[in-house]
Amino acid sequence: EALPADETVECDAVPTEATLTATDNCGIATVTFLETRVDGSCTNNYTLTRTWTASDDCGNETIHTQTLTVQD
């Protein structure tokens, strides 16, 4: 699937997080999701950092990060 890109969005148009998947040739791959928020100068101005980490049974991992700048 396409990886989510960085965006600047209005406070009433924050997209829901994507569900990303991963595959591994030699085992099972899992994807974990983490979202952090850093507040800005007012309630409706903030930054969301979304991180997806795909890992396999051997400890290999791939990380994708999306930054959403939310503005009023």
Side-chain angles (χ1 to χ4, degrees):
E1 66 260 347
L3 296 176
D6 295 347
E7 293 185 64
T8 298
V9 297
E10 293 291 325
C11 58
D12 62 349
V14 176
T16 58
E17 67 273 1
T19 300
L20 299 182
T21 60
T23 59
D24 184 64
N25 291 336
C26 300
I28 298 172
T30 58
V31 178
T32 58
F33 174 75
L34 175 67
E35 179 177 85
T36 57
R37 176 182 167 143
V38 176
D39 292 333
S41 58
C42 73
T43 303
N44 292 321
N45 289 335
Y46 55 94
T47 302
L48 291 177
T49 302
R50 295 175 171 176
T51 305
W52 293 264
T53 303
S55 56
D56 68 9
D57 292 335
C58 292
N60 300 311
E61 54 179 40
T62 299
I63 298 172
H64 176 71
T65 302
Q66 175 192 39
T67 302
L68 294 173
T69 302
V70 182
Q71 60 189 16
D72 188 6

